[in-house]
Amino acid sequence: ICSGIALEVGPGPGYLGLEWLKGTEGTRLKGLDISDDMVAIAERNAGEYGLKDRVEYVIADAREMPFDDNYFDGVFTNGSLHEWSHPKEIIDEIYRVLKPGGLYFLSDLKRNMNPLMKWLMWFTTRPKEIRPGLLTSIAAAYTVDEMKLILRETGLQGWTVSSNIIGLVVSGQKPVS
């Protein structure tokens, strides 16, 4: 998405969305996170990026997004899918708030990544105190086939699931009726 308003689900400290905003013009971003601590960090980072006027962070459960139907031009999330205890409900909410013709992009780690890659990620993760969290995240992540099974039980349409060396990507466009 290069224009309009986007939603980032689970922005954590906000870096991905802020980098997107920095590289676009005439865009706005809403970040939805369940953690008030993460929202506070993301808001601070938005100030440091000089983008506070183009971003708003909302504390809410993604299973009940406080946004109107067909509101966003794009929705994205990175690295939070494995944290969702109810992924089908959240994916249905993503589809609900996305405008017809809107784009979506969901990316995360994959559980069945190459063991060498898993070791390399673990070895290079800093600070080393967060390495156990990385392993927990990988263990909780989905495989491509598992993700396809979940998607088939949602209202999301037009999706494709692809895989890379460390993760998986769900992307597509909401059909225009």
Side-chain angles (χ1 to χ4, degrees):
I1 176 172
C2 296
S3 64
I5 184 166
L7 171 65
E8 182 177 11
V9 180
Y15 295 120
L16 181 64
L18 293 169
E19 286 293 323
W20 172 77
L21 268 180
K22 188 172 80 171
T24 60
E25 292 182 22
T27 55
R28 291 178 297 130
L29 176 69
K30 289 193 186 274
L32 181 125
D33 206 296
I34 199 164
S35 167
D36 52 350
D37 290 338
M38 281 293 116
V39 165
I41 293 168
E43 287 173 340
R44 185 187 72 225
N45 290 336
E48 291 176 6
Y49 270 73
L51 294 171
K52 275 190 116 122
D53 59 330
R54 292 175 53 202
V55 64
E56 176 189 1
Y57 294 100
V58 177
I59 301 166
D61 187 327
R63 292 183 296 166
E64 296 179 21
M65 294 184 187
F67 307 116
D68 292 335
D69 295 355
N70 307 311
Y71 184 79
F72 293 99
D73 297 290
V75 179
F76 63 95
T77 185
N78 178 59
S80 69
L81 184 58
H82 69 273
E83 301 278 353
W84 301 351
S85 55
H86 303 279
K88 294 173 201 166
E89 292 175 37
I90 295 172
I91 291 167
D92 280 337
E93 275 293 276
I94 288 170
Y95 199 64
R96 179 186 69 76
V97 302
L98 189 63
K99 288 179 181 176
L103 303 173
Y104 56 89
F105 180 90
L106 296 75
S107 64
D108 203 355
L109 298 168
K110 65 180 178 184
R111 190 174 62 253
N112 58 340
M113 75 172 64
N114 180 302
L116 181 60
M117 201 62 222
K118 184 175 168 181
W119 178 85
L120 181 61
M121 287 178 66
W122 180 85
F123 185 74
T124 58
T125 295
R126 300 284 185 271
K128 65 182 179 182
E129 292 77 17
I130 65 172
R131 289 176 180 168
L134 171 67
L135 297 179
T136 301
S137 294
I138 293 169
Y142 298 100
T143 66
V144 168
D145 289 341
E146 290 167 343
M147 193 72 246
K148 287 178 180 180
L149 287 173
I150 290 169
L151 290 166
R152 287 185 188 117
E153 294 182 19
T154 71
L156 194 68
Q157 299 174 26
W159 51 264
T160 59
V161 181
S162 59
S163 152
N164 58 46
I165 195 162
I166 63 166
L168 57 84
V169 172
V170 177
S171 60
Q173 183 173 22
K174 185 173 183 177
V176 179
S177 299

